[in-house]
Amino acid sequence: KDNLQDMSKCRRYLLFLTQFFSRCCLLILGYWWIEETYPENTPNVTFPSFLERKNAPKLFVGNHVSFIDGLYILSRCIPSVIAQANTVKIPIAGSAISSLSPILVPVTDKQRETLKDPKIQLLERTKSDAFNRAVMIFPEGATTQANTLIKFQNGAFEPLVSVQPVVFKYKYKNVDPSWTGDVSAGWLLFRLCCQFVNKLEVAYCSPVQPDSNDVQEFKTKVIEEMKKVKQFEVSPLTVSDNHFLK
């Protein structure tokens, strides 16, 4: 039972506690007010009405800059996420992840025998009327610089369903919130806490639908829509590129 109205009270409380805790973390890190913008054809809209509007996409995709992205999404809509199967065994955090009805990615051979392929799980979520919660995916597969997009992975687009692009726009002078390979999580947390106010704008683009069965064409269309609200430098590198990981 993955819809809020069908969940047990204990699970609903855990979800709302996760949502509240995520917002508290953002406050501690200096994100007192987060500006949200919506497509021009949806004036005077609020986030709940935008999320619950008729034919709203279930699949959200966005650029991935920092762990702040995840905290924001958790604080707003309690989405389902994609996570490695081992993460549900982590004390405390694993319970919170499990409550989100994650799409689990098998790591071991034993897990591959018991878990469905993540692509099949995603397809079932996005095309099922019984599952009415959003699924959040960062198709880059890694965090990158705030002004850069690396090549999107295919997984989020293979179901060929309408997607909701989300763009995280960080405005900073002294502390770059980008969680790249040369910056540890602890050091980044410390620097963010040392700055009293940090700024984030979240832009919700117009939903994008596939024009054909061409996944590459669909990915390009989504990127072009995201570039309408922020001028990204698009890199041909992927998360598996050794040069990028160095």
Side-chain angles (χ1 to χ4, degrees), residues 193-206:
C193 289
C194 288
Q195 185 157 290
F196 186 68
V197 176
N198 291 298
K199 294 184 179 180
L200 168 63
E201 177 185 341
V202 181
Y204 292 89
C205 307
S206 298

Side-chain angles (χ1 to χ4, degrees), residues 207-225:
V208 179
Q209 296 183 348
D211 295 324
S212 65
N213 292 329
D214 189 333
V215 174
Q216 302 302 322
E217 178 185 315
F218 188 23
K219 288 195 298 184
T220 300
K221 188 177 179 182
V222 172
I223 290 173
E224 291 303 315
E225 185 64 33

Side-chain angles (χ1 to χ4, degrees), residues 38-227:
Y38 301 92
E40 295 181 356
N41 60 350
T42 54
N44 303 319
V45 73
T46 61
F47 181 80
S49 62
F50 181 75
L51 187 67
E52 297 170 5
R53 69 194 189 283
K54 187 178 180 180
N55 297 324
K58 293 181 182 178
L59 184 55
F60 282 47
V61 297
N63 60 313
H64 201 10
V65 179
S66 178
F67 47 77
I68 305 299
D69 314 337
L71 286 174
Y72 165 80
I73 288 294
L74 281 175
S75 72
R76 293 300 275 147
C77 64
I78 318 182
S80 179
V81 297
I82 293 182
Q84 289 189 357
N86 293 336
T87 59
V88 298
K89 298 180 181 180
I90 300 173
I92 302 176
S95 298
I97 293 172
S98 297
S99 70
L100 296 173
S101 306
I103 295 174
L104 296 178
V105 179
V107 179
T108 66
D109 291 337
K110 185 175 181 180
Q111 290 171 349
R112 293 187 184 95
E113 293 175 359
T114 57
L115 293 173
K116 291 183 180 178
D117 186 289
K119 295 177 182 178
I120 296 176
Q121 295 182 60
L122 178 60
L123 184 64
E124 291 175 347
R125 297 283 180 90
T126 54
K127 294 192 174 183
S128 171
D129 293 331
F131 190 88
N132 61 9
R133 288 165 54 201
V135 179
M136 183 70 208
I137 296 180
F138 298 106
E140 293 172 286
T143 50
T144 59
Q145 291 288 341
N147 297 318
T148 304
L149 285 179
I150 62 173
K151 191 173 181 180
F152 283 0
Q153 304 296 298
N154 290 341
F157 307 95
E158 289 182 342
L160 293 171
V161 296
S162 177
V163 302
Q164 174 61 65
V166 183
V167 176
F168 296 92
K169 302 162 70 174
Y170 291 87
K171 302 175 182 179
Y172 63 91
K173 290 183 179 180
N174 301 313
V175 181
D176 182 354
S178 303
W179 187 21
T180 51
D182 57 340
V183 180
S184 69
W187 178 241
L188 182 55
L189 278 168
F190 174 74
R191 295 194 66 197
L192 288 171
C193 289
C194 288
Q195 185 157 290
F196 186 68
V197 176
N198 291 298
K199 294 184 179 180
L200 168 63
E201 177 185 341
V202 181
Y204 292 89
C205 307
S206 298
V208 179
Q209 296 183 348
D211 295 324
S212 65
N213 292 329
D214 189 333
V215 174
Q216 302 302 322
E217 178 185 315
F218 188 23
K219 288 195 298 184
T220 300
K221 188 177 179 182
V222 172
I223 290 173
E224 291 303 315
E225 185 64 33
M226 294 172 69
K227 288 172 67 177

